[in-house]
Amino acid sequence: QQLSAAPIIVHEAHSGQSWQGHYLCLLANALHPVRDRLDRSVWLKVHSRWAECLAPLAEFLRVITFPVDADKYVEALVEFGLFHVGPYYTRELLRSVGVGSSPPGFVEDALERVFAYEVSQKTSHAAGIVGVVSYDITIVRAFRSAHRIAGCRLVASSQPVSTTNAGSTTLGACEGAEVAEDFSMRSTSSVSLRPVLNVQFVSVPLAHDRSGHAEIQILSELFSQLDSSVVKQSAVGIVHLYVTHHPCLSCLGAVCQFRAAFPGVVVSVSYDWRPSVPRGGGRHILASE
């Protein structure tokens, strides 16, 4: 009853003029965990208005092509007035555009890698968002043997890619395919830094520059490993992504750009942060749902 009587709800429940954009996102996510304690009609108004906002956003992301028209793309995404859709609705939005959760086994491994990275760097998630990617992509080339790239790496936002000096090595034949595996982050004792030189996807400056976010760096690095001639149907495989915070809209857009560039590659995304714990404090739970 006290929540339902809060001025922010009472005053706006009738006009709803301030229930839009990022303001609405914060309101919906703040009320979501206590929705059962609200007057049902109030929550339905908030939820329905938020759903009306999410529907066109999902459709926009669903039909993204590659490459995008940068100016039109940025203008369209900014028009939604959002920086993200919050921890309680990011999974729903990802699912609506065809992106599922990363496998639990990968997420558990990613959590261990993040923890090892924090120990080696003597830092914590509070210093920035960390992402881990596992990928296995086969490039089908006409009149040539298939080429496969596979590996796992860790990236910290606004920092260069973290990888080892091991690089790639050619493994034994796999049904005639040339196989290369990245041994990055096998050991935290041999970490070197390599900057991402070619950002292939459009990052949208929602309130600030987001081109250094871990998801953008990860996807751009993967793209740079694939010859431009293999874009579209010639690449098949999987990319599992884990980040220590729900992705912002710019990064969700990058995920959709990557999927448009490589429709044969299945991308999954998980994240671990919930409002009930400090950022990064959810590393021991699987909160991708």
Side-chain angles (χ1 to χ4, degrees):
Q1 292 180 343
Q2 291 179 337
L3 284 170
S4 299
I8 190 175
I9 295 177
V10 174
H11 294 163
E12 303 299 334
H14 302 292
S15 66
Q17 293 180 356
S18 295
W19 287 6
Q20 56 188 338
H22 189 60
Y23 185 94
L24 177 58
C25 171
L26 296 178
L27 183 62
N29 278 273
L31 295 181
H32 184 276
V34 295
R35 59 192 181 281
D36 293 337
R37 294 159 54 190
L38 290 170
D39 180 280
R40 181 172 174 76
S41 63
V42 171
W43 169 246
L44 288 177
K45 288 182 179 179
V46 174
H47 180 71
S48 62
R49 187 174 292 273
W50 182 224
E52 291 173 1
C53 180
L54 290 179
L57 174 59
E59 181 60 23
F60 171 78
L61 294 173
R62 193 178 297 116
V63 299
I64 282 178
T65 58
F66 182 84
V68 297
D69 182 310
D71 292 336
K72 291 182 179 179
Y73 172 76
V74 171
E75 180 180 357
L77 199 57
V78 169
E79 185 66 23
F80 287 100
L82 298 167
F83 307 133
H84 54 77
V85 298
Y88 291 111
Y89 294 91
T90 297
R91 171 52 50 203
E92 178 182 329
L93 181 59
L94 282 166
R95 188 181 294 112
S96 70
V97 300
V99 178
S101 300
S102 296
F106 160 73
V107 175
E108 290 283 10
D109 179 68
L111 293 172
E112 293 300 323
R113 290 173 182 270
V114 171
F115 179 72
Y117 170 79
E118 290 181 347
V119 171
S120 68
Q121 299 296 309
K122 297 181 180 179
T123 184
S124 67
H125 287 181
I129 308 306
V130 178
V132 178
V133 62
S134 175
Y135 55 95
D136 190 339
I137 302 173
T138 299
I139 304 164
V140 181
R141 301 176 292 191
F143 309 111
R144 299 174 63 186
S145 61
H147 177 70
R148 177 185 171 206
I149 62 170
C152 187
R153 63 182 67 217
L154 179 147
V155 174
S157 292
S158 300
Q159 297 179 19
V161 175
S162 177
T163 181
T164 66
N165 292 319
S168 298
T169 181
T170 300
L171 305 180
C174 177
E175 297 183 354
E178 180 183 358
V179 182
E181 172 135 359
D182 187 326
F183 288 92
S184 57
M185 292 306 295
R186 296 295 192 201
S187 170
T188 57
S189 62
S190 58
V191 174
S192 64
L193 299 178
R194 180 161 56 92
V196 176
L197 301 178
N198 299 311
V199 177
Q200 305 291 348
F201 304 106
V202 176
S203 172
V204 182
L206 302 171
H208 61 81
D209 182 8
R210 296 171 183 265
S211 61
H213 284 195
E215 300 94 319
I216 291 282
Q217 292 194 56
I218 285 170
L219 296 175
S220 296
E221 172 66 14
L222 277 179
F223 191 100
S224 69
Q225 292 189 49
L226 302 172
D227 189 291
S228 59
S229 64
V230 308
V231 174
K232 299 297 182 184
Q233 283 76 15
S234 56
V236 294
I238 56 95
V239 172
H240 300 317
L241 182 63
Y242 162 84
V243 285
T244 56
H245 194 277
H246 52 275
C248 69
L249 282 194
S250 179
C251 291
L252 290 179
V255 169
C256 292
Q257 290 175 67
F258 184 91
R259 294 179 70 235
F262 304 102
V265 176
V266 178
V267 180
S268 62
V269 178
S270 286
Y271 56 93
D272 80 337
W273 183 68
R274 289 182 178 180
S276 58
V277 296
R279 181 175 295 185
R283 70 166 65 93
H284 299 298
I285 60 172
L286 300 182
S288 59
E289 295 299 334

mmCIF file of all heavy atoms in Angstrom, residues 195-215:
data_model
loop_
_atom_site.group_PDB
_atom_site.id
_atom_site.type_symbol
_atom_site.label_atom_id
_atom_site.label_comp_id
_atom_site.label_asym_id
_atom_site.label_seq_id
_atom_site.Cartn_x
_atom_site.Cartn_y
_atom_site.Cartn_z
ATOM 1 N N PRO A 195 45.337 -4.733 -28.268
ATOM 2 C CA PRO A 195 44.184 -3.876 -28.548
ATOM 3 C C PRO A 195 43.379 -4.373 -29.737
ATOM 4 O O PRO A 195 43.900 -5.028 -30.630
ATOM 5 C CB PRO A 195 44.830 -2.516 -28.845
ATOM 6 C CG PRO A 195 46.163 -2.874 -29.394
ATOM 7 C CD PRO A 195 46.600 -4.086 -28.613
ATOM 8 N N VAL A 196 42.096 -4.079 -29.707
ATOM 9 C CA VAL A 196 41.238 -4.365 -30.852
ATOM 10 C C VAL A 196 41.405 -3.213 -31.828
ATOM 11 O O VAL A 196 41.051 -2.079 -31.529
ATOM 12 C CB VAL A 196 39.765 -4.505 -30.425
ATOM 13 C CG1 VAL A 196 38.872 -4.694 -31.650
ATOM 14 C CG2 VAL A 196 39.607 -5.677 -29.478
ATOM 15 N N LEU A 197 41.936 -3.489 -33.011
ATOM 16 C CA LEU A 197 42.257 -2.419 -33.951
ATOM 17 C C LEU A 197 41.101 -2.100 -34.888
ATOM 18 O O LEU A 197 40.961 -0.977 -35.347
ATOM 19 C CB LEU A 197 43.491 -2.809 -34.773
ATOM 20 C CG LEU A 197 44.763 -3.084 -33.959
ATOM 21 C CD1 LEU A 197 45.898 -3.520 -34.889
ATOM 22 C CD2 LEU A 197 45.175 -1.849 -33.168
ATOM 23 N N ASN A 198 40.278 -3.110 -35.192
ATOM 24 C CA ASN A 198 39.216 -2.913 -36.177
ATOM 25 C C ASN A 198 37.850 -3.134 -35.551
ATOM 26 O O ASN A 198 37.431 -4.258 -35.335
ATOM 27 C CB ASN A 198 39.398 -3.881 -37.355
ATOM 28 C CG ASN A 198 40.709 -3.658 -38.078
ATOM 29 O OD1 ASN A 198 41.047 -2.535 -38.410
ATOM 30 N ND2 ASN A 198 41.452 -4.732 -38.312
ATOM 31 N N VAL A 199 37.177 -2.058 -35.245
ATOM 32 C CA VAL A 199 35.819 -2.159 -34.723
ATOM 33 C C VAL A 199 34.877 -2.237 -35.911
ATOM 34 O O VAL A 199 34.706 -1.269 -36.643
ATOM 35 C CB VAL A 199 35.472 -0.959 -33.831
ATOM 36 C CG1 VAL A 199 34.036 -1.056 -33.353
ATOM 37 C CG2 VAL A 199 36.417 -0.908 -32.629
ATOM 38 N N GLN A 200 34.273 -3.405 -36.125
ATOM 39 C CA GLN A 200 33.472 -3.641 -37.326
ATOM 40 C C GLN A 200 32.007 -3.304 -37.141
ATOM 41 O O GLN A 200 31.275 -3.214 -38.119
ATOM 42 C CB GLN A 200 33.596 -5.117 -37.727
ATOM 43 C CG GLN A 200 35.024 -5.597 -37.927
ATOM 44 C CD GLN A 200 35.680 -4.990 -39.146
ATOM 45 O OE1 GLN A 200 35.030 -4.379 -39.981
ATOM 46 N NE2 GLN A 200 36.989 -5.142 -39.239
ATOM 47 N N PHE A 201 31.582 -3.118 -35.902
ATOM 48 C CA PHE A 201 30.172 -2.893 -35.641
ATOM 49 C C PHE A 201 29.942 -1.487 -35.096
ATOM 50 O O PHE A 201 30.773 -0.942 -34.380
ATOM 51 C CB PHE A 201 29.655 -3.940 -34.652
ATOM 52 C CG PHE A 201 29.905 -5.347 -35.124
ATOM 53 C CD1 PHE A 201 30.896 -6.115 -34.545
ATOM 54 C CD2 PHE A 201 29.177 -5.875 -36.176
ATOM 55 C CE1 PHE A 201 31.155 -7.403 -34.987
ATOM 56 C CE2 PHE A 201 29.424 -7.155 -36.625
ATOM 57 C CZ PHE A 201 30.418 -7.920 -36.041
ATOM 58 N N VAL A 202 28.791 -0.931 -35.428
ATOM 59 C CA VAL A 202 28.472 0.431 -35.015
ATOM 60 C C VAL A 202 28.095 0.450 -33.543
ATOM 61 O O VAL A 202 27.177 -0.246 -33.118
ATOM 62 C CB VAL A 202 27.324 1.009 -35.862
ATOM 63 C CG1 VAL A 202 26.932 2.394 -35.358
ATOM 64 C CG2 VAL A 202 27.734 1.067 -37.334
ATOM 65 N N SER A 203 28.811 1.233 -32.772
ATOM 66 C CA SER A 203 28.514 1.429 -31.361
ATOM 67 C C SER A 203 27.799 2.763 -31.208
ATOM 68 O O SER A 203 28.204 3.765 -31.798
ATOM 69 C CB SER A 203 29.815 1.431 -30.544
ATOM 70 O OG SER A 203 29.579 1.795 -29.213
ATOM 71 N N VAL A 204 26.720 2.767 -30.433
ATOM 72 C CA VAL A 204 25.907 3.976 -30.284
ATOM 73 C C VAL A 204 26.264 4.686 -28.980
ATOM 74 O O VAL A 204 26.197 4.091 -27.903
ATOM 75 C CB VAL A 204 24.403 3.630 -30.295
ATOM 76 C CG1 VAL A 204 23.562 4.898 -30.186
ATOM 77 C CG2 VAL A 204 24.062 2.863 -31.569
ATOM 78 N N PRO A 205 26.662 5.964 -29.037
ATOM 79 C CA PRO A 205 27.039 6.714 -27.825
ATOM 80 C C PRO A 205 25.818 7.146 -27.025
ATOM 81 O O PRO A 205 25.386 8.304 -27.076
ATOM 82 C CB PRO A 205 27.809 7.915 -28.391
ATOM 83 C CG PRO A 205 27.182 8.142 -29.733
ATOM 84 C CD PRO A 205 26.840 6.773 -30.263
ATOM 85 N N LEU A 206 25.260 6.222 -26.274
ATOM 86 C CA LEU A 206 24.100 6.518 -25.435
ATOM 87 C C LEU A 206 24.591 7.119 -24.119
ATOM 88 O O LEU A 206 25.003 6.406 -23.215
ATOM 89 C CB LEU A 206 23.300 5.243 -25.174
ATOM 90 C CG LEU A 206 22.787 4.513 -26.428
ATOM 91 C CD1 LEU A 206 22.208 3.159 -26.064
ATOM 92 C CD2 LEU A 206 21.768 5.367 -27.158
ATOM 93 N N ALA A 207 24.605 8.429 -24.026
ATOM 94 C CA ALA A 207 25.080 9.196 -22.866
ATOM 95 C C ALA A 207 26.602 9.230 -22.772
ATOM 96 O O ALA A 207 27.154 10.185 -22.240
ATOM 97 C CB ALA A 207 24.490 8.678 -21.560
ATOM 98 N N HIS A 208 27.268 8.190 -23.278
ATOM 99 C CA HIS A 208 28.724 8.203 -23.303
ATOM 100 C C HIS A 208 29.215 7.208 -24.356
ATOM 101 O O HIS A 208 28.436 6.410 -24.888
ATOM 102 C CB HIS A 208 29.305 7.858 -21.918
ATOM 103 C CG HIS A 208 28.920 6.494 -21.425
ATOM 104 N ND1 HIS A 208 29.551 5.333 -21.827
ATOM 105 C CD2 HIS A 208 27.957 6.100 -20.556
ATOM 106 C CE1 HIS A 208 29.014 4.296 -21.228
ATOM 107 N NE2 HIS A 208 28.035 4.728 -20.450
ATOM 108 N N ASP A 209 30.494 7.259 -24.671
ATOM 109 C CA ASP A 209 31.083 6.363 -25.658
ATOM 110 C C ASP A 209 31.040 4.929 -25.148
ATOM 111 O O ASP A 209 31.537 4.630 -24.058
ATOM 112 C CB ASP A 209 32.531 6.785 -25.921
ATOM 113 C CG ASP A 209 33.208 5.919 -26.971
ATOM 114 O OD1 ASP A 209 32.522 5.088 -27.598
ATOM 115 O OD2 ASP A 209 34.432 6.078 -27.154
ATOM 116 N N ARG A 210 30.449 4.043 -25.920
ATOM 117 C CA ARG A 210 30.298 2.649 -25.504
ATOM 118 C C ARG A 210 31.104 1.695 -26.389
ATOM 119 O O ARG A 210 30.936 0.481 -26.306
ATOM 120 C CB ARG A 210 28.816 2.264 -25.508
ATOM 121 C CG ARG A 210 28.018 3.069 -24.475
ATOM 122 C CD ARG A 210 26.528 2.877 -24.580
ATOM 123 N NE ARG A 210 25.847 3.732 -23.612
ATOM 124 C CZ ARG A 210 25.450 3.337 -22.394
ATOM 125 N NH1 ARG A 210 25.661 2.094 -22.003
ATOM 126 N NH2 ARG A 210 24.849 4.179 -21.577
ATOM 127 N N SER A 211 31.981 2.259 -27.219
ATOM 128 C CA SER A 211 32.757 1.417 -28.132
ATOM 129 C C SER A 211 33.788 0.559 -27.407
ATOM 130 O O SER A 211 34.307 -0.392 -27.974
ATOM 131 C CB SER A 211 33.465 2.282 -29.180
ATOM 132 O OG SER A 211 34.372 3.189 -28.571
ATOM 133 N N GLY A 212 34.099 0.889 -26.138
ATOM 134 C CA GLY A 212 35.051 0.099 -25.376
ATOM 135 C C GLY A 212 34.424 -0.990 -24.544
ATOM 136 O O GLY A 212 35.133 -1.693 -23.818
ATOM 137 N N HIS A 213 33.110 -1.149 -24.640
ATOM 138 C CA HIS A 213 32.444 -2.180 -23.855
ATOM 139 C C HIS A 213 32.930 -3.570 -24.274
ATOM 140 O O HIS A 213 33.263 -3.812 -25.429
ATOM 141 C CB HIS A 213 30.933 -2.078 -24.019
ATOM 142 C CG HIS A 213 30.333 -0.954 -23.234
ATOM 143 N ND1 HIS A 213 28.991 -0.854 -22.981
ATOM 144 C CD2 HIS A 213 30.905 0.129 -22.630
ATOM 145 C CE1 HIS A 213 28.745 0.237 -22.264
ATOM 146 N NE2 HIS A 213 29.897 0.844 -22.041
ATOM 147 N N ALA A 214 32.947 -4.467 -23.308
ATOM 148 C CA ALA A 214 33.499 -5.803 -23.540
ATOM 149 C C ALA A 214 32.824 -6.516 -24.704
ATOM 150 O O ALA A 214 33.497 -7.171 -25.519
ATOM 151 C CB ALA A 214 33.370 -6.644 -22.268
ATOM 152 N N GLU A 215 31.491 -6.402 -24.804
ATOM 153 C CA GLU A 215 30.778 -7.110 -25.864
ATOM 154 C C GLU A 215 31.210 -6.620 -27.250
ATOM 155 O O GLU A 215 31.396 -7.426 -28.177
ATOM 156 C CB GLU A 215 29.265 -6.919 -25.711
ATOM 157 C CG GLU A 215 28.702 -7.433 -24.395
ATOM 158 C CD GLU A 215 28.611 -6.353 -23.329
ATOM 159 O OE1 GLU A 215 29.553 -5.536 -23.227
ATOM 160 O OE2 GLU A 215 27.598 -6.318 -22.612
#
